[in-house]
Amino acid sequence: MCAGTAHSEAEKTTGQRRDEEGLLQRVRNPHTPAHEVRRAVALLFPKGVHRGRLSMYTSAISALGRVHACEEAVALLETMRQRALTPNVISYNAAMSACEKGGQWQRALEVLEGMSQRALKPDVISYSAAMSACEKGGQWQRALELLE
């Protein structure tokens, strides 16, 4: 590879990182409108492109929750697994919180169950998010069952 090509590749990589950071800032900004959050997430994680760090995915899942996009948040959690990134408890908690905010108590319980299936131990935040989702969905009995 000649020096000019290496330099141009380095500039391209630097530009991509700058773009990525700009998109992450949009995603993390609590004032970003829902449609812009969805667009930024789609640009950060295009279909078929395997890139990103665990923290990027978790930030995006949290942002999707903030805009009540439960299904998109859970789909992004699944995308992590498909791309050989192992979601951690924080990633799962963000997805359950998204389900709670989106009024999807059943999905929150599915995400909680998914943690156990993948040998992740739910923490207090996990149970709190699942219980809150059940409570908001009028499923008091389900919320109480989680306490047992």
Side-chain angles (χ1 to χ4, degrees):
M1 181 183 299
C2 68
T5 304
H7 182 70
S8 125
E9 286 297 317
E11 285 177 353
K12 183 178 173 183
T13 301
T14 301
Q16 287 172 339
R17 277 197 209 110
R18 195 174 314 114
D19 292 345
E20 187 177 273
E21 286 304 316
L23 289 169
L24 277 171
Q25 286 177 4
R26 295 295 296 161
V27 163
R28 291 176 177 149
N29 183 339
H31 303 293
T32 302
H35 71 279
E36 288 184 30
V37 167
R38 286 182 167 105
R39 182 174 179 272
V41 168
L43 291 170
L44 278 170
F45 309 106
K47 292 185 187 302
V49 177
H50 299 274
R51 71 170 188 198
R53 300 175 309 277
L54 178 66
S55 62
M56 287 174 57
Y57 280 88
T58 302
S59 291
I61 291 168
S62 293
L64 289 167
R66 191 176 63 248
V67 300
H68 305 271
C70 167
E71 290 304 322
E72 292 170 63
V74 174
L76 194 54
L77 186 70
E78 181 60 32
T79 297
M80 290 175 71
R81 291 192 296 265
Q82 292 169 353
R83 295 181 178 178
L85 273 174
T86 304
N88 61 16
V89 173
I90 297 167
S91 305
Y92 277 91
N93 289 350
M96 280 187 284
S97 179
C99 294
E100 178 256 327
K101 290 173 183 165
Q104 300 293 320
W105 65 270
Q106 301 97 330
R107 288 296 270 158
L109 293 179
E110 289 171 10
V111 172
L112 182 64
E113 178 65 26
M115 290 180 75
S116 299
Q117 292 172 351
R118 289 169 180 81
L120 282 174
K121 186 175 180 181
D123 62 10
V124 171
I125 295 169
S126 309
Y127 286 111
S128 178
M131 289 174 65
S132 182
C134 290
E135 174 192 354
K136 286 186 178 179
Q139 300 296 314
W140 293 96
Q141 188 62 38
R142 292 285 189 124
L144 292 173
E145 289 170 4
L146 291 172
L147 288 173
E148 298 173 355

